[in-house]
Amino acid sequence: SGIPVTFLGSQYVLGHEAMKRMQTSNVLVSGLRGLGVEVAKNLVLGGVKSVTLHDPEPASWSDLASQFYLREEDVGCAQVPAGVSQVCPRCAQVPPGVPQVPAGDAAAPPPQVVVLTNSPLEEQLWVGDFCHSHGIKLVVADTRGLFGQLFCDFGEDMVVSDANGEQPLSAMVSMVTKGCPGEVTCLDEARHGFESGDFVTFTEVEGMEELNRCGPVEIRVLGPYTFSIGDTSGYGDYVRGGIVSQVKMPKHIHFKRLRDALAEPELLVTDFGKAERPPVLHRAWQGLHRFLRQHGRAPRPRHQGDAAEVLALTKEVAAGAELDEELVRELAFQATGDLAPVNAFIGGLAAQEVMKAVSGKFTPITQWLYFDALECLPEENRDTLLTEEQCRPRNSRYDGQIAVFGAELQAKLGAQKYFVVGAGAIGCELLKNFAMVGLGCGPEGSVTVTDMDTIEKSNLNRQFLFRPWDVTKLKSERAAAAAREMNPALRVCSRTDRVGPDTERVYDDDFFEGLDGVANALDNVDARLYMDRRCVYYRKPLLESGTLGTKGNVQVVIPFLSESYSSSQDPPEKAIPICTLKNFPNAIEHTLQWARDEFEGLFKQPAENVNQYLMDPKFLERTLRLAGTQPLEVLEAVQRSLVSDRPRAWPDCVAWACRHWHRQYSNNIPVTCPLWVHPVPPGCPVGAPWPLHLDYVVAAANLFAQSYGIVGSRDRAAVAELLRHVRVPPFAPKAGVRIHVSDQELQSASAALDDGRLEELKASLPSPEELPGFRMFPIDFEKVGAACPAPTPPPPPLGSKLIAGKIIPAIATTTAAVVGLACLELYKLVQGHRRLSSYKNAFLNLALPFVGFSEPLACPRNKYYEVEWTLWDRFEVQGLQPDGREMTLRQFLAYFKKEHRLEITMLSQGVSMLYSFFMPAAKLRERHDQPMTEIVTRVSKKKLGRHVKALVFELCCNDDSDADIEVPYVRYTIR
């Protein structure tokens, strides 16, 4: 495709055309404090052609609060501008292929977009005038402590080719009426998903063929399966068939220049759930700029006089409009604040807006955006905790953070012990933010990061701590080293052990009990669920975050306050009905899934069955116990693999692939579903394989050959020559074939098991000693196998991998924004906020753009007798008695009867049943006087490791009235 492998993550999200436009775009970033370098980093990772960096100011201590490419030795380097001498070389390493040029350099190309960060209003205005009049797009971004501002001007007429980035929808048509308007009804297997105002086109409609020739038509939705399309009264009568597909129509957006937009509050965008604040912040920011112009400096932290002056200047701007005076004063108090998490969030949004400007992909911000996170401040005694003395600068790299939160919180951050699980895209951003805020940088603090994976080249476009020379090295080690370079005080330790039950000797009780919190950076649900259970058990807070393209989410789990990650589940992934795959495919996703199933049935499942037949003497016995016709299907597949279809040489593999192609695409599909058949291209000689079909045969023959250890060939000409000698049996259609229109009908039509055929198959199988092993690889087969029957054009290779491999696309902008929001929750956890309303779960989609915040759900409360409990509660039982002996089962049962008035009816540990009221009397007598750990060891047949300090028991209990009641689990301490 011409896109370097390091930018494939961006191409997955943006698409090929948008990515090509980005690769011809030049961007100027002015202002290289934390926000500016965050924007530049995200643009470099995104894959623009070049980034020109500009900043005339020398590096200072205040820059180190969030400028992760500056080092302490860079401060005051002979008044050399930070952007030229320090940032360029370090930014240029992320990743290779995107030049970063100092502004003023002769090689600096003219920009298509200018980004201004931390710039005075006068500069913003004249640059805005120049850019608007010369067709240059402008993004203005600024942060002040917990406040953020963003402005976009993308010209008089910006064309957006795709407003949301979602795949166009399609549906199968079952009826179209004649009328004004005509009504379209879709098959009721799934809702069509369209919205009123969408545009659609039609293909393969029979009868009313005028629909196939008309352009995109605007629709009005009538119901989940119906919509109207305008006048169809003059069209022919609808007969059958048809596919309706959504069409993304260009959208034109007009932007005003900054000078004009400054006075127009109607251009404001809400600040994500705090709708009353944007107008106030809009005016307060102008008042702050007036203060900066008059004094040549920002208001001092928590200085009442400076804040009062900013308020007075803001009132002049407001001209009588209502103001939230406390909000204005808070902006003045934090004007010198510089927080890495806020810069990460605003920087991610700003970089995404630049990408929208140059690519025309996704909906831009129109035009102002304001953000604040004031809930991060202390919940109580704010005036006492945040004084001018507490927040004064100390010539420390954390001065930008101390200006907002004071020196006491900085000391608490340094003493924290955190566990980062995963060192991928989110893990790298977490470590960068932790280094900047000083988490675990004190003598008592630490950060542990674990990841068992190694670095691949494709990781470089979003996992920004890694460099080209890190490829093949361990992620956790290189990420820890890179974060330590950003802040040498960071006490970070890298591990390579996977988190899970098999590593609980490594991540044991001592490890978890010593932590202050956990930050997940995982890419699979099972690991997330496991870590969530660990955090609930050890009562540790959890920062959970994830991304999917331009979408992202943050969840904060607070012990004894909120529910846990496991308390709610995402809806199951939508499955494609089997009857649709077999008989009515109407999208490339259907044919790719069909090819996946085909691969499983040809190369994966038979191979696994044969391997089991080879190694497991009970394979036949177990297979015959399967339900329905499964025993027959399994044994037929094994028999084909070992007897009837077994090749002896490479020509046999080609012959098998050819016959299979004819069986699937020349015989079966035309009979069951004419929709699947491709026409033969014009000029293709009769008898010669269509090039796509030849690709299929080559891929399938090689897969088949590798399964048997036969050397294959990719020589298309040689394969074509072998095909000339293949004899294909004549096709004889089966009588009584019926096309099933639903999965229920398909299941009810299953044939009865033929016992005679089973015995015949068992007798025909050779002995295991004669059988070879199997090897296979899928992707080529899936791509070509999906393209052969597809009613739509074959997908590009990258699209095939994305759909067939179920790859989760990721981009740096979303990752930065999500982690920024997660680290804002970290401030609250370290301060010990106890109001659930102070915490915010976040959901964002930068393509729309949308960011929503919600209060975490409170943990559900249960009750037994008058005792309330939640998932964070448990019974604490000390197994060792004062005399040094361990509690027996009899004593354990008596303890709960006496202390909690609970009659234990069943007791289990993991999957092991230790006690139940219906156990045989002899077994009960045997266990009653045994220590609890001895019972666990005997029943589970596993020894307890020395790392185990406590056991978890699950209880079923009755109360005094002999009614079943729900109770928490038991933590039984043995050491």
Side-chain angles (χ1 to χ4, degrees):
S1 65
I3 307 297
V5 68
T6 47
F7 301 128
L8 289 184
S10 299
Q11 188 180 358
Y12 278 137
V13 178
L14 298 174
H16 187 68
E17 291 303 316
M19 197 65 205
K20 286 201 300 185
R21 287 192 288 271
M22 281 188 52
Q23 289 197 308
T24 60
S25 301
N26 305 304
V27 182
L28 167 64
V29 178
S30 178
L32 293 177
R33 300 190 70 195
L35 178 58
V37 80
E38 183 70 44
V39 174
K41 178 261 292 182
N42 290 330
L43 292 175
V44 171
L45 293 171
V48 297
K49 181 181 179 181
S50 73
V51 178
T52 302
L53 305 176
H54 167 259
D55 193 321
E57 299 297 325
S60 64
W61 279 108
S62 60
D63 294 325
L64 298 181
S66 63
Q67 222 289 22
F68 45 85
Y69 284 140
L70 286 180
R71 307 291 181 261
E72 293 185 7
E73 60 268 22
D74 298 329
V75 174
C77 282
Q79 299 295 301
V80 177
V84 176
S85 67
Q86 288 90 20
V87 179
C88 264
R90 292 164 186 157
C91 193
Q93 299 167 357
V94 189
V98 178
Q100 291 81 49
V101 186
D105 192 302
Q112 281 77 48
V113 184
V114 172
V115 181
L116 298 180
T117 67
N118 307 109
S119 63
L121 183 59
E122 293 73 22
E123 181 180 85
Q124 295 175 17
L125 291 173
W126 76 257
V127 172
D129 292 344
F130 180 88
C131 289
H132 194 84
S133 61
H134 287 77
I136 301 172
K137 298 173 176 63
L138 175 69
V139 174
V140 178
D142 196 7
T143 60
R144 301 281 173 173
L146 291 166
F147 295 88
Q149 177 198 55
L150 195 60
F151 171 80
C152 299
D153 173 12
F154 296 160
E156 297 286 344
D157 184 25
M158 181 192 180
V159 180
V160 177
S161 60
D162 184 349
N164 58 18
E166 301 294 334
Q167 288 294 322
L169 301 172
S170 66
M172 296 192 70
V173 177
S174 63
M175 183 61 194
V176 185
T177 64
K178 294 178 69 172
C180 185
E183 294 185 6
V184 179
T185 303
C186 299
L187 290 178
D188 60 3
E189 65 177 32
R191 298 168 181 260
H192 55 61
F194 300 134
E195 296 180 0
S196 295
D198 284 350
F199 284 78
V200 300
T201 57
F202 292 85
T203 55
E204 303 185 30
V205 176
E206 295 186 27
M208 195 177 287
E209 295 179 1
E210 294 87 345
L211 287 176
N212 297 331
R213 297 190 293 270
C214 67
V217 179
E218 187 173 3
I219 68 169
R220 185 170 69 87
V221 172
L222 304 176
Y225 307 102
T226 57
F227 57 87
S228 63
I229 56 172
D231 189 359
T232 59
S233 56
Y235 293 174
D237 293 332
Y238 175 81
V239 177
R240 64 174 175 268
I243 299 173
V244 57
S245 302
Q246 183 184 37
V247 178
K248 297 292 184 77
M249 301 296 290
K251 181 181 179 181
H252 295 261
I253 302 177
H254 170 72
F255 288 82
K256 295 191 176 184
R257 64 173 181 166
L258 176 59
R259 190 178 300 275
D260 298 329
L262 198 63
E264 300 191 31
E266 66 270 15
L267 296 178
L268 292 172
V269 177
T270 62
D271 68 341
F272 312 130
K274 305 163 188 173
E276 76 282 359
R277 291 183 178 176
V280 177
L281 290 175
H282 186 68
R283 299 180 178 100
W285 225 284
Q286 294 179 61
L288 177 61
H289 276 292
R290 291 190 179 188
F291 183 97
L292 293 168
R293 184 175 66 250
Q294 292 178 12
H295 295 273
R297 61 169 176 84
R300 289 162 287 188
R302 297 291 156 183
H303 192 282
Q304 297 295 334
D306 287 355
E309 189 173 345
V310 171
L311 177 60
L313 293 170
T314 302
K315 287 181 177 179
E316 293 178 9
V317 175
E322 186 176 351
L323 289 177
D324 181 340
E325 295 188 2
E326 283 303 313
L327 187 64
V328 177
R329 272 194 286 268
E330 195 60 53
L331 176 62
F333 288 153
Q334 299 186 29
T336 59
D338 189 15
L339 302 179
V342 178
N343 287 334
F345 175 67
I346 297 296
L349 266 63
Q352 189 66 59
E353 294 307 302
V354 173
M355 294 181 186
K356 295 175 186 178
V358 299
S359 69
K361 187 79 175 278
F362 307 141
T363 303
I365 291 172
T366 54
Q367 291 184 251
W368 291 101
L369 180 143
Y370 287 94
F371 168 80
D372 75 76
L374 295 183
E375 63 275 0
C376 293
L377 294 174
E379 289 180 318
E380 298 176 350
N381 304 320
R382 186 178 301 177
D383 293 336
T384 304
L385 294 172
L386 301 180
T387 63
E388 189 175 352
E389 170 59 26
Q390 268 287 320
C391 300
R392 65 175 176 81
R394 288 162 167 76
N395 285 333
S396 159
R397 68 176 302 129
Y398 307 116
D399 277 351
Q401 192 162 260
I402 291 173
V404 178
F405 295 109
E408 286 188 9
L409 178 60
Q410 192 60 54
K412 289 182 180 179
L413 286 165
Q416 293 288 298
K417 295 181 177 67
Y418 256 74
F419 185 28
V420 178
V421 188
I426 290 177
C428 286
E429 286 288 338
L430 283 169
L431 289 174
K432 178 256 288 183
N433 279 275
F434 287 178
M436 292 296 98
V437 305
L439 188 82
C441 293
E444 299 177 359
S446 66
V447 173
T448 302
V449 57
T450 187
D451 197 310
M452 62 181 295
D453 289 342
T454 56
I455 300 165
E456 299 177 9
K457 190 173 182 181
S458 60
N459 298 148
L460 300 180
N461 83 305
R462 59 195 181 277
Q463 299 174 18
F464 86 105
L465 293 184
F466 306 139
R467 302 295 181 264
W469 50 85
D470 292 330
V471 172
T472 73
K473 297 178 182 177
L474 289 166
K475 285 185 177 181
S476 59
E477 292 180 0
R478 297 313 306 153
R484 198 180 296 111
E485 285 186 15
M486 293 178 174
N487 185 350
L490 180 65
R491 297 167 58 86
V492 59
C493 170
S494 62
R495 307 288 287 265
T496 58
D497 306 289
R498 181 200 303 270
V499 292
D502 55 332
T503 56
E504 288 182 2
R505 291 178 178 272
V506 178
Y507 306 116
D508 56 11
D509 291 346
D510 290 335
F511 176 82
F512 273 100
E513 288 170 358
L515 295 176
D516 293 295
V518 175
N520 272 353
L522 293 161
D523 59 0
N524 68 88
V525 173
D526 289 341
R528 286 186 167 109
L529 291 171
Y530 174 81
M531 286 307 302
D532 179 69
R533 292 194 297 270
R534 294 280 87 188
C535 288
V536 170
Y537 177 74
Y538 292 104
R539 296 169 172 173
K540 302 299 179 182
L542 172 66
L543 294 172
E544 173 61 59
S545 51
T547 67
L548 177 64
T550 59
K551 302 171 186 174
N553 73 283
V554 175
Q555 180 180 359
V556 56
V557 177
I558 313 104
F560 300 103
L561 281 184
S562 75
E563 66 174 13
S564 72
Y565 174 81
S566 307
S567 300
S568 58
Q569 294 183 350
D570 293 332
E573 186 176 343
K574 184 179 178 181
I576 304 171
I578 296 175
C579 64
T580 300
L581 293 179
K582 291 175 66 69
N583 302 324
F584 303 105
N586 57 84
I588 196 61
E589 289 83 1
H590 297 163
T591 52
L592 278 166
Q593 184 59 49
W594 181 88
R596 284 178 62 91
D597 293 348
E598 177 84 342
F599 173 82
E600 296 269 337
L602 287 174
F603 305 112
K604 184 174 184 291
Q605 199 59 52
E608 292 177 353
N609 289 336
V610 167
N611 287 336
Q612 291 180 44
Y613 174 72
L614 284 167
M615 299 184 297
D616 187 354
K618 296 185 177 180
F619 171 76
L620 286 176
E621 178 185 338
R622 192 170 61 252
T623 300
L624 293 174
R625 290 200 300 266
L626 295 174
T629 61
Q630 290 183 74
L632 187 63
E633 294 168 358
V634 170
L635 292 184
E636 282 181 339
V638 173
Q639 194 272 345
R640 283 195 302 269
S641 298
L642 303 179
V643 182
S644 59
D645 289 347
R646 183 178 178 183
R648 303 299 175 183
W650 168 240
D652 297 335
C653 299
V654 175
W656 174 88
C658 178
R659 287 192 291 268
H660 184 77
W661 182 92
H662 277 274
R663 183 163 55 249
Q664 288 293 68
Y665 302 115
S666 183
N667 301 341
N668 293 351
I669 287 177
V671 170
T672 58
C673 186
L675 172 70
W676 285 52
V677 182
H678 270 307
V680 175
C684 187
V686 177
W690 182 22
L692 185 63
H693 299 172
L694 181 58
D695 288 343
Y696 178 98
V697 172
V698 171
N702 275 279
L703 285 166
F704 197 61
Q706 287 194 15
S707 296
Y708 291 91
I710 296 172
V711 178
S713 170
R714 292 285 180 173
D715 187 334
R716 290 165 54 87
V719 172
E721 181 60 31
L722 288 172
L723 288 173
R724 296 182 183 276
H725 306 288
V726 176
R727 179 182 173 276
V728 179
F731 173 59
K734 295 180 180 178
V737 173
R738 181 179 179 183
I739 299 175
H740 306 293
V741 297
S742 70
D743 285 0
Q744 291 82 359
E745 185 178 321
L746 188 65
Q747 291 170 1
S748 63
S750 297
L753 190 62
D754 186 342
D755 291 334
R757 175 60 177 157
L758 273 179
E759 292 302 320
E760 180 184 333
L761 286 170
K762 288 165 59 179
S764 67
L765 291 176
S767 63
E769 289 77 10
E770 304 172 20
L771 302 176
F774 282 79
R775 290 181 58 222
M776 59 201 73
F777 54 95
I779 193 64
D780 286 346
F781 180 83
E782 287 179 346
K783 174 187 179 295
V784 181
C788 282
T792 56
L798 197 65
S800 296
K801 292 181 180 181
L802 182 63
I803 299 170
K806 299 184 179 180
I807 295 171
I808 299 175
I811 52 176
T813 51
T814 312
T815 305
V818 161
V819 173
L821 294 175
C823 289
L824 288 175
E825 300 307 301
L826 174 69
Y827 287 133
K828 306 169 190 177
L829 292 172
V830 174
Q831 292 176 85
H833 283 14
R834 297 310 300 165
R835 297 175 191 162
L836 199 58
S837 59
S838 297
Y839 293 93
K840 303 295 178 186
N841 291 341
F843 310 88
L844 59 85
N845 186 342
L846 301 187
L848 299 180
F850 166 81
V851 181
F853 294 96
S854 66
E855 181 181 309
L857 294 177
C859 47
R861 295 190 174 275
N862 303 286
K863 196 172 184 179
Y864 69 93
Y865 297 127
E866 298 303 316
V867 180
E868 282 194 343
W869 64 277
T870 70
L871 62 93
W872 299 98
D873 295 302
R874 62 193 178 208
F875 294 112
E876 294 282 358
V877 178
Q878 184 65 42
L880 291 180
Q881 302 300 293
D883 60 2
R885 296 181 179 180
E886 188 190 344
M887 185 180 287
T888 63
L889 175 60
R890 188 190 305 277
Q891 291 171 324
F892 186 88
L893 299 176
Y895 169 84
F896 275 87
K897 185 68 175 176
K898 177 183 178 182
E899 299 294 330
H900 302 287
R901 296 162 51 202
L902 295 173
E903 183 79 32
I904 296 178
T905 56
M906 283 191 288
L907 172 66
S908 63
Q909 193 262 336
V911 296
S912 301
M913 180 65 69
L914 308 181
Y915 164 81
S916 67
F917 68 93
F918 51 78
M919 273 184 172
K923 185 176 288 187
L924 286 177
R925 286 194 299 271
E926 178 188 352
R927 292 187 182 179
H928 262 146
D929 296 318
Q930 290 178 347
M932 295 297 292
T933 55
E934 183 178 335
I935 298 174
V936 169
T937 302
R938 288 189 175 185
V939 175
S940 66
K941 298 180 181 179
K942 295 179 182 178
K943 292 184 178 180
L944 297 178
R946 293 183 179 180
H947 65 285
V948 178
K949 295 173 65 175
L951 299 173
V952 173
F953 295 144
E954 302 286 346
L955 305 178
C956 289
C957 297
N958 290 346
D959 62 11
D960 290 340
S961 63
D962 208 31
D964 290 339
I965 56 173
E966 192 173 356
V967 296
Y969 69 93
V970 178
R971 185 175 188 266
Y972 179 80
T973 305
I974 59 176
R975 291 187 177 90

